[in-house]
Amino acid sequence: KGQHRLANEIEHIVQEHLKYVHEDVNHGWDLIHQDGEMKVYRREVEENGIVIDPMKMFHTIKGVTGHEMCRYFYEYQYRMEWETTLDSTKIIEVLDPDTVIFHQMHKRVWPSAQRDNCFWSHIRCIAKSEEDQPIWLVVNHTIPHPLAPIKPPQVRLVANVALICETVINEPPLNPKDIKRENIQCRLTYVAFVNPGGWVPGAALRSVAKREYPRFLKHFSNYVIEQTRDKPILF
Ligand SMILES: O=S(=O)(CCO)c1ccc(-c2ccc(C3CCCC3)c([C@H]3C[C@H]3c3ccccn3)c2)cc1
């Protein structure tokens, strides 16, 4: 398998996420929002007076697979259909079919300056045991890039985000071909380490994050449910 220039960095970041995905959120994380199956946790962290609170969300979505959730989260062509916080998105480099570099302009969120984000995005399937469904994940991680120069007054985000999904099949029928969408669900963990890249009033950022993260996950989940409703199941 061709090793591109980011292969080692990506391997390291992916392994880090896999190490912490099962971390116990009862120590040091505050449950700040719950909506049905969705639970949103936050750790309050500041670095040089800038709020960089890690966010962690857990959700169970009926009728879709982890591969479907990750596919719609990763693929460029769907991005503007579910991402409501963007003015634009562009692929500036393709390293392999599972690894691309995006440059995105976020909508301005009062009272802060407009943010942009240049990040590698990698999708991967991790086989578990024979009988278990595989884990699918997408990691988005900031990286500088000559084709995405920082242009003040825009502020460059620093973000390390992972969507890690497993597929659960309830009462698996003898023949896997008979599996229906009502028998499947996706259990996902979403973690986001976002440094806004420049000063934002802490209280304002905390309230924007508290509102936006759950909204994003609910909107994105509903989008995938709608997109996959009448399509064959993608395991
Ligand atoms: O999952 S991703 O990789 C999807 C990439 O298409 C992702 C998601 C979210 C962000 C992001 C970017 C900017 C902000 C802030 C910082 C100052 C002003 C805006 C926030 C905080 C505010 C929280 C937030 C959460 C969700 C959506 C928008 N806003 C989050 C970056 C990447």
Short mmCIF file of all heavy atoms in Angstrom, two decimals, residues 44-64:
data_model
loop_
_atom_site.label_atom_id
_atom_site.label_comp_id
_atom_site.label_asym_id
_atom_site.label_seq_id
_atom_site.Cartn_x
_atom_site.Cartn_y
_atom_site.Cartn_z
N GLU A 44 -13.47 21.51 30.78
CA GLU A 44 -13.15 22.94 30.71
C GLU A 44 -11.63 23.09 30.75
O GLU A 44 -11.00 22.75 31.74
CB GLU A 44 -13.84 23.69 31.86
CG GLU A 44 -15.36 23.67 31.73
CD GLU A 44 -16.03 24.86 32.40
OE1 GLU A 44 -15.33 25.64 33.07
OE2 GLU A 44 -17.27 25.00 32.25
N VAL A 45 -11.07 23.54 29.62
CA VAL A 45 -9.61 23.70 29.52
C VAL A 45 -9.30 25.05 28.89
O VAL A 45 -9.92 25.42 27.90
CB VAL A 45 -9.00 22.59 28.63
CG1 VAL A 45 -7.50 22.79 28.47
CG2 VAL A 45 -9.30 21.21 29.21
N GLU A 46 -8.36 25.79 29.47
CA GLU A 46 -7.92 27.05 28.86
C GLU A 46 -6.41 26.98 28.68
O GLU A 46 -5.72 26.37 29.49
CB GLU A 46 -8.29 28.23 29.77
CG GLU A 46 -9.78 28.41 29.91
CD GLU A 46 -10.17 29.73 30.59
OE1 GLU A 46 -9.35 30.67 30.64
OE2 GLU A 46 -11.31 29.79 31.08
N GLU A 47 -5.96 27.58 27.57
CA GLU A 47 -4.52 27.62 27.28
C GLU A 47 -4.19 29.07 26.95
O GLU A 47 -4.77 29.62 26.00
CB GLU A 47 -4.23 26.73 26.08
CG GLU A 47 -2.77 26.32 25.90
CD GLU A 47 -2.67 25.26 24.79
OE1 GLU A 47 -2.76 25.67 23.62
OE2 GLU A 47 -2.56 24.07 25.12
N ASN A 48 -3.36 29.69 27.75
CA ASN A 48 -3.02 31.12 27.58
C ASN A 48 -4.29 31.96 27.48
O ASN A 48 -4.42 32.79 26.59
CB ASN A 48 -2.18 31.35 26.31
CG ASN A 48 -1.04 30.34 26.19
OD1 ASN A 48 -0.46 29.95 27.20
ND2 ASN A 48 -0.76 29.89 24.98
N GLY A 49 -5.27 31.64 28.34
CA GLY A 49 -6.48 32.46 28.38
C GLY A 49 -7.44 32.19 27.25
O GLY A 49 -8.47 32.85 27.11
N ILE A 50 -7.10 31.18 26.39
CA ILE A 50 -8.01 30.83 25.29
C ILE A 50 -8.73 29.53 25.66
O ILE A 50 -8.10 28.55 26.07
CB ILE A 50 -7.23 30.67 23.96
CG1 ILE A 50 -6.64 32.02 23.54
CG2 ILE A 50 -8.16 30.13 22.86
CD1 ILE A 50 -5.94 32.00 22.18
N VAL A 51 -10.06 29.54 25.52
CA VAL A 51 -10.87 28.35 25.84
C VAL A 51 -10.64 27.30 24.73
O VAL A 51 -10.86 27.58 23.55
CB VAL A 51 -12.36 28.75 25.92
CG1 VAL A 51 -13.25 27.52 25.87
CG2 VAL A 51 -12.61 29.56 27.18
N ILE A 52 -10.16 26.12 25.13
CA ILE A 52 -9.94 25.06 24.13
C ILE A 52 -10.63 23.78 24.59
O ILE A 52 -10.10 22.68 24.41
CB ILE A 52 -8.42 24.80 23.90
CG1 ILE A 52 -7.73 24.43 25.22
CG2 ILE A 52 -7.75 26.02 23.26
CD1 ILE A 52 -6.35 23.83 25.02
N ASP A 53 -11.80 23.93 25.20
CA ASP A 53 -12.50 22.79 25.81
C ASP A 53 -12.63 21.61 24.86
O ASP A 53 -13.23 21.72 23.80
CB ASP A 53 -13.93 23.20 26.22
CG ASP A 53 -13.96 24.33 27.24
OD1 ASP A 53 -12.91 24.63 27.82
OD2 ASP A 53 -15.04 24.89 27.41
N PRO A 54 -12.06 20.44 25.24
CA PRO A 54 -12.36 19.22 24.48
C PRO A 54 -13.84 18.87 24.61
O PRO A 54 -14.43 19.09 25.67
CB PRO A 54 -11.49 18.16 25.16
CG PRO A 54 -10.47 18.92 25.94
CD PRO A 54 -11.12 20.21 26.33
N MET A 55 -14.42 18.40 23.49
CA MET A 55 -15.83 17.98 23.47
C MET A 55 -15.87 16.49 23.15
O MET A 55 -15.07 16.00 22.36
CB MET A 55 -16.60 18.72 22.37
CG MET A 55 -16.61 20.23 22.49
SD MET A 55 -17.51 20.81 23.92
CE MET A 55 -19.16 20.27 23.51
N LYS A 56 -16.82 15.81 23.79
CA LYS A 56 -16.98 14.38 23.47
C LYS A 56 -18.47 14.09 23.42
O LYS A 56 -19.20 14.46 24.34
CB LYS A 56 -16.30 13.52 24.56
CG LYS A 56 -16.06 12.10 24.14
CD LYS A 56 -14.95 11.45 24.99
CE LYS A 56 -14.60 10.08 24.44
NZ LYS A 56 -13.50 9.43 25.19
N MET A 57 -18.94 13.48 22.30
CA MET A 57 -20.37 13.20 22.17
C MET A 57 -20.56 11.71 21.87
O MET A 57 -19.79 11.12 21.12
CB MET A 57 -20.98 14.03 21.02
CG MET A 57 -20.83 15.54 21.24
SD MET A 57 -21.92 16.49 20.18
CE MET A 57 -20.96 16.53 18.67
N PHE A 58 -21.57 11.15 22.48
CA PHE A 58 -21.94 9.76 22.23
C PHE A 58 -23.37 9.77 21.67
O PHE A 58 -24.20 10.56 22.10
CB PHE A 58 -21.92 8.92 23.52
CG PHE A 58 -20.58 8.90 24.19
CD1 PHE A 58 -20.30 9.77 25.25
CD2 PHE A 58 -19.59 8.02 23.77
CE1 PHE A 58 -19.06 9.76 25.87
CE2 PHE A 58 -18.35 8.01 24.40
CZ PHE A 58 -18.08 8.87 25.45
N HIS A 59 -23.63 8.91 20.69
CA HIS A 59 -24.97 8.88 20.11
C HIS A 59 -25.22 7.49 19.52
O HIS A 59 -24.27 6.81 19.12
CB HIS A 59 -25.07 9.96 19.02
CG HIS A 59 -26.47 10.33 18.65
ND1 HIS A 59 -27.59 9.94 19.38
CD2 HIS A 59 -26.95 11.06 17.60
CE1 HIS A 59 -28.67 10.43 18.81
NE2 HIS A 59 -28.33 11.10 17.72
N THR A 60 -26.47 7.10 19.52
CA THR A 60 -26.86 5.84 18.87
C THR A 60 -27.92 6.19 17.83
O THR A 60 -28.93 6.84 18.17
CB THR A 60 -27.44 4.85 19.90
OG1 THR A 60 -26.42 4.55 20.86
CG2 THR A 60 -27.87 3.55 19.22
N ILE A 61 -27.64 5.84 16.60
CA ILE A 61 -28.56 6.21 15.51
C ILE A 61 -29.15 4.94 14.89
O ILE A 61 -28.40 4.08 14.39
CB ILE A 61 -27.82 7.02 14.41
CG1 ILE A 61 -27.25 8.31 15.04
CG2 ILE A 61 -28.78 7.40 13.28
CD1 ILE A 61 -25.77 8.30 15.15
N LYS A 62 -30.45 4.80 14.95
CA LYS A 62 -31.11 3.59 14.42
C LYS A 62 -31.19 3.65 12.90
O LYS A 62 -31.37 4.73 12.32
CB LYS A 62 -32.54 3.48 15.00
CG LYS A 62 -32.57 3.19 16.50
CD LYS A 62 -33.98 2.91 17.00
CE LYS A 62 -34.03 2.54 18.49
NZ LYS A 62 -32.83 2.88 19.30
N GLY A 63 -30.97 2.49 12.28
CA GLY A 63 -31.23 2.37 10.84
C GLY A 63 -30.07 2.71 9.93
O GLY A 63 -30.22 2.66 8.71
N VAL A 64 -28.92 3.07 10.51
CA VAL A 64 -27.75 3.34 9.66
C VAL A 64 -26.54 2.59 10.22
O VAL A 64 -26.48 2.26 11.41
CB VAL A 64 -27.43 4.86 9.57
CG1 VAL A 64 -28.59 5.65 9.00
CG2 VAL A 64 -27.03 5.41 10.92
#
